[in-house]
Structure formats: structure tokens, C-alpha cells
């Protein structure tokens, strides 16, 4: 692109363009934030709530959480694959409906009746809801934003996503639990889900997300196959999926072991723990945005490898072992929690990098990316289930640190193809970048 054309393009930019938010999607970012606040309300207490309302033991409660993790993983993959077929907006509608319906059934017939079997069924099925809603919007973002500012755009998505889950969600619970109890708080969460869904589905008019993203000739079975076959046709995408699993698997595992660690072993109150969690991820949402912006300048791969993977390998150890060494100091624990939240945000550019590795099949790449995100919700707690008994909390945390080291090594292999590099230079979106790739494939 010539300097004259570049200057003209910049002159036509709005303030939203400059900060990396696609203006037509603004209400979607707001809606995702509110939706994820509703989803995140339960993050600090759902396991003991299930245990006390029919599960009867920590182990039986963990089965419910594991079932939820499995459906989250499956739905995360489907959000990308189905967005290719139906368009992101339609998949978001499906996710919203699933969340609302099965949450009502979980609360009214499972938890309220102390019915363990129905809690296992309905809470598990509710797991399809938030990935279909939130990650389909992420597909919408990656299809719309210019590649040169895609890091910033996905940074804003994760600013909204983690702003709700668990940051403002946990903070909301710390206020509503004393007022309404945990059961009442879960009904408050349902109302927030409905409000967030309305913001997204009524407020966003950008047309790309209203229609299918796959080429006209691609059939449903073919589209689903493309979202899996990309793992071996584009091995770098498969590597990126593993990195995405490692990104948040320790986070989900820590949510299992840290509540008891900080309340029982460190002597903090439930309110102290919820506030620590909120502060940790308040830091995370700020750095989600910061690293999204920075990564567009210094490189997505560099940001992920050094600030994300290496940073988390160090900070996850500090989060657990520093409070053990400096007991009875709440603010030290808060400080190391903030460092972990900050380094966790270093992985944000993976959502820009993955579809850019395969612009001609960005839906398949996003499907694997989202599979990795959902898989983390299963892998993290599964590691805890397998190793907490024989290795204790110390051993589990060392495993998490080791996983981050593995992610740092894998990131070295994630180099962009020529088409994506050209799109960045020319200020194009991935949707536009895919056209010449598809043309070359047919010649």
C-alpha cells in the first residue's frame, strides 16, 4: 500500500478504529461483558454449592463440574464450526437459549430439590451455552476486524470476557451472596445473562455475522470435517490448539484447589478469597487489552511466548508458593495474584494468530482455537483429579508450571503464512485475505 493510500485510510479512521474496536460490533463487546458477568458469578462457589445441595461430597460435586467441562469443550469447537455454516449471530442465539433453559432446570429441579442426578444432567447440558454464545462472537470479531489490528480487537474481546468471568462475576457474588444467599445469587446471574444476550443480539447490526462464513458450496458435513481436518492439513493450527489448552488449563485447575488453599490453609475468609480472585482478574482484563495492543507492534508470537508462557511459568509458582512462605499477609497474596493475572493475558494474541495461520479456513482454525479454550476447562480440573491425591497441591502446581514451559517451546513453531503477512501490510481483514489464498488453491 502506498504512503498516500495509507494516509487516506488513516484520515478516515474513527476513534474506535484507532483503539482496535470494530465500531459495528461495539454493543456486542458490551453484551459479552454483561453475559460473562452472569456466567462468572458462580465461579468462586459453585463446587461447594453443588456439594451442599445434593452432591454430598467434594468428589461427587467434581463429577458435575467435569461433565460441565466436557460439554464446554465440545461446544467451544462447535462454535467455530457452526458459525461457518449458520453465521455467528445464529449460533449466539442458540447458546443464549441453551444457557437460560438449562439453568432454570438446574436451579428449579436440581439444586432446589437436592436432586443430584438432575443437577449432573442439567448443569452439564448448560455447558453448551456460554461457548456457543461468547466464542461465536469471537469468530464474528476475527472475520470483521482488519488483520493489522486483530490483536487489539481480540484483546477487547478478552477484556469483556474475563471482565465478566470471573472478575466482575466474583465481585458481584461477594455483594449478592450476603444479601440473597448463593441460591438467590444464581437467579441474579440468570437475569444478567438475559440482559447481555439482548445487548448482543439486538444491538449489533454488522452484516458479516448474519450469514454463513463458509464458501457457498461447502456442505454441513464437509464444514464439520474441515474444522477437524485442519489439524493435519495445517499442523501449526494443531500446535496452536495445544498452546490454547495450556493457556487456561492451569487457571481452571487452580479454581479447584485455591479456594480451600486460601481459606483453610492460609486462613482467609470466603470474602477475602472472592476479592483476591476479582483483583487478580481485574488486573488480567487490563493486561488483556494492553497485550492485545502491544502484540500488534512487537508480534503476536513474541508476546505469547515471553509474556504469556514464560511469564505464567514463573507467576503460577509465585501465586501458590509465595503465600506459603509469607503466611498471614493477605496483600502479598493479592500482589502475586495480580502478577499471574497479568501474565495470563500474554496469551491473548493466540486468538489473532490462529485464524491468521489458515486464512482460507479461518472457521476451522477458530473451531480448533475454541476447542482448546473449552478443553482447558476439562484438562485443568482433570489434572487436579489425577494428581492431587498422589502429589498434593504442591505437585499439581509444579505440573502447571511445566505445562507453561512446554507452551513456550511450542510457540516457536507458530509462524505466519505469506497471505496473512500481506494482509497485515495492506490493512485487510482475514475475510479479504482468504480470497487470494482460495484463488491460488484452484489454479
Amino acid at each position: 500500500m502506498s504512503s498516500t493510500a495509507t494516509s487516506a485510510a488513516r484520515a478516515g479512521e474513527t476513534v474506535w478504529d484507532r483503539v482496535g474496536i470494530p465500531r459495528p460490533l461495539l454493543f456486542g463487546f458490551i453484551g459479552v461483558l454483561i453475559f460473562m458477568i452472569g456466567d462468572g458469578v458462580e465461579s468462586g462457589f459453585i463446587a461447594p454449592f453443588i456439594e451442599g445441595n445434593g452432591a454430598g461430597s467434594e468428589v461427587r460435586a467434581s463429577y458435575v463440574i467435569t461433565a460441565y467441562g466436557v460439554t464446554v469443550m465440545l461446544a467451544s469447537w462447535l462454535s467455530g464450526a457452526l458459525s461457518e455454516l449458520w453465521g455467528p449471530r445464529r449460533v449466539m442465539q442458540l447458546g443464549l437459549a441453551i444457557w437460560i433453559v438449562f439453568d432454570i432446570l438446574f436451579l428449579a429441579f436440581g439444586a432446589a430439590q437436592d436432586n443430584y442426578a438432575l443437577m449432573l444432567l442439567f448443569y452439564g447440558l448448560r455447558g453448551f451455552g456460554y461457548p456457543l454464545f461468547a466464542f461465536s462472537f469471537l469468530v464474528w470479531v476475527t472475520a470483521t476486524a482488519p488483520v493489522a489490528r486483530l490483536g487489539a480487537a481480540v484483546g477487547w474481546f478478552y477484556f469483556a470476557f474475563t471482565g465478566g468471568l470471573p472478575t466482575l462475576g466474583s465481585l458481584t457474588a461477594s455483594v449478592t451472596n450476603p444479601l440473597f444467599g448463593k441460591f438467590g445469587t444464581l437467579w441474579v446471574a440468570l437475569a444478567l445473562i438475559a440482559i447481555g444476550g439482548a445487548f448482543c443480539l439486538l444491538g449489533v447490526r454488522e452484516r458479516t455475522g448474519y450469514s454463513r462464513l463458509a464458501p457457498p458450496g461447502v456442505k454441513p458435513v464437509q464444514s464439520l470435517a474441515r474444522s477437524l481436518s485442519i489439524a493435519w492439513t495445517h499442523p501449526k493450527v494443531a500446535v496452536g490448539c495445544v498452546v490454547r489448552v495450556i493457556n487456561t488449563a492451569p487457571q481452571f485447575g487452580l479454581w479447584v484447589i485455591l479456594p480451600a488453599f486460601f481459606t483453610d490453609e492460609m486462613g482467609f475468609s470466603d470474602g477475602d478469597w472472592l476479592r483476591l480472585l476479582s483483583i487478580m482478574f481485574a488486573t488480567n482484563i487490563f493486561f488483556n487489552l494492553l497485550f492485545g495492543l502491544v502484540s500488534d507492534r512487537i508480534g503476536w508470537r513474541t508476546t505469547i511466548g515471553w509474556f504469556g508462557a514464560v511469564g505464567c511459568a514463573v507467576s503460577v509458582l509465585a501465586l501458590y508458593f509465595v503465600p506459603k512462605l509469607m503466611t498471614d499477609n493477605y496483600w502479598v497474596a493479592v500482589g502475586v495474584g495480580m502478577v499471574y493475572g497479568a501474565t495470563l493475558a500474554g496469551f491473548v494474541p493466540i486468538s489473532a494468530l490462529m485464524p491468521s495461520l489458515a486464512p482460507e479456513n479461518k472457521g476451522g482454525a477458530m473451531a480448533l482455537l475454541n476447542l482448546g479454550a473449552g478443553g482447558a476447562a476439562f484438562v485443568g480440573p482433570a489434572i487436579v483429579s489425577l494428581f492431587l491425591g498422589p502429589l498434593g497441591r504442591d505437585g499439581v502446581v509444579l505440573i502447571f508450571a511445566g505445562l507453561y514451559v512446554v507452551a513456550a517451546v511450542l510457540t516457536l513453531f507458530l509462524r505466519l503464512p505469506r497471505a496473512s503477512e500481506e494482509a497485515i501490510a495492506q490493512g485487510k481483514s482475514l475475510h479479504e485475505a482468504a480470497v487470494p489464498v482460495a484463488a491460488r488453491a484452484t489454479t
Side-chain angles (χ1 to χ4, degrees):
M1 180 181 289
S2 69
S3 60
T4 303
T6 302
S7 300
R10 287 176 178 171
E13 289 181 341
T14 66
V15 64
W16 303 109
D17 295 323
R18 294 189 184 100
V19 299
I21 296 179
R23 175 63 183 85
L25 300 181
L26 176 61
F27 280 102
F29 288 100
I30 296 171
V32 167
L33 172 62
I34 298 171
F35 182 97
M36 296 312 299
I37 291 173
D39 192 86
V41 159
E42 67 187 36
S43 58
F45 67 83
I46 191 63
F49 174 82
I50 291 172
E51 180 181 351
N53 286 270
S57 71
E58 186 176 4
V59 173
R60 280 164 58 88
S62 73
Y63 294 155
V64 178
I65 305 300
T66 300
Y68 177 82
V70 171
T71 55
V72 165
M73 179 171 61
L74 179 59
S76 298
W77 165 63
L78 286 173
S79 65
L82 294 179
S83 291
E84 282 277 284
L85 285 174
W86 299 341
R89 187 176 187 274
R90 186 175 173 188
V91 183
M92 291 175 71
Q93 290 174 323
L94 176 62
L96 178 64
I98 288 173
W99 207 106
I100 291 174
V101 169
F102 287 107
D103 191 58
I104 292 173
L105 293 174
F106 164 71
L107 292 175
F109 298 102
Q113 306 296 326
D114 286 354
N115 190 315
Y116 177 71
L118 291 183
M119 282 199 297
L120 183 66
L121 175 64
F122 294 140
Y123 191 75
L125 290 174
R126 202 202 77 184
F128 282 101
Y130 98 73
L132 291 177
F133 184 88
F135 292 141
S136 294
F137 182 71
L138 178 58
V139 174
W140 201 341
V141 170
T142 60
T144 304
V147 182
R149 289 204 174 102
L150 196 50
V154 299
W156 279 109
F157 170 81
Y158 281 105
F159 180 92
F161 185 93
T162 57
L165 174 68
T167 313
L168 294 178
S170 297
L171 188 61
T172 300
S174 71
V175 174
T176 57
N177 279 354
L179 294 175
F180 308 117
K182 293 176 180 177
F183 191 75
T185 291
L186 292 174
W187 286 104
V188 171
L190 181 61
L192 291 170
I193 289 290
I195 293 169
F199 260 91
C200 280
L201 299 176
L202 300 179
V204 178
R205 299 297 181 183
E206 199 282 326
R207 304 309 297 182
T208 302
Y210 277 62
S211 56
R212 59 184 278 150
L213 302 177
V218 176
K219 305 299 183 185
V221 174
Q222 185 182 2
S223 178
L224 293 174
R226 274 162 48 96
S227 69
L228 291 175
S229 64
I230 193 173
W232 55 87
T233 60
H234 294 74
K236 292 179 183 178
V237 175
V239 172
C241 178
V242 175
V243 173
R244 182 61 185 89
V245 171
I246 295 173
N247 173 193
T248 48
Q251 172 191 321
F252 285 105
L254 290 171
W255 287 354
V256 177
I257 63 175
L258 287 188
F261 169 70
F262 280 118
T263 56
D264 297 344
E265 190 170 337
M266 295 293 102
F268 299 163
S269 68
D270 287 340
D272 288 336
W273 155 243
L274 289 173
R275 280 186 290 274
L276 188 157
L277 189 63
S278 295
I279 294 170
M280 181 193 306
F281 283 94
T283 307
N284 175 255
I285 64 172
F286 171 77
F287 277 90
N288 282 339
L289 178 56
L290 177 63
F291 281 131
L293 294 167
V294 168
S295 69
D296 286 334
R297 294 184 176 273
I298 69 172
W300 300 332
R301 199 162 59 99
T302 299
T303 306
I304 295 165
W306 286 104
F307 292 102
V310 175
C312 281
V314 175
S315 64
V316 75
L317 294 173
L319 174 63
Y320 178 76
F321 287 105
V322 168
K324 288 190 72 170
L325 296 173
M326 302 180 68
T327 57
D328 300 323
N329 195 323
Y330 178 72
W331 293 108
V332 168
V334 169
V336 291
M338 292 173 68
V339 174
Y340 179 64
T343 55
L344 197 62
F347 283 95
V348 157
I350 191 72
S351 297
L353 181 63
M354 283 278 282
S356 301
L357 292 172
E360 78 284 7
N361 188 7
K362 57 188 175 297
M366 290 302 296
L368 274 196
L369 172 73
N370 294 341
L371 175 64
F378 168 74
V379 171
I383 289 173
V384 174
S385 298
L386 289 172
F387 296 105
L388 183 61
L391 301 180
R393 293 192 189 113
D394 294 19
V396 169
V397 173
L398 289 173
I399 290 173
F400 289 156
L403 286 175
Y404 283 126
V405 173
V406 172
V409 174
L410 293 178
T411 303
L412 297 174
F413 299 96
L414 303 180
R415 295 184 179 275
L416 289 178
R418 186 181 67 178
S420 294
E421 291 179 342
E422 291 174 352
I424 292 173
Q426 297 169 10
K428 293 181 178 180
S429 69
L430 283 181
H431 202 59
E432 295 167 319
V435 175
V437 174
R440 287 198 294 269
T442 58
T443 59

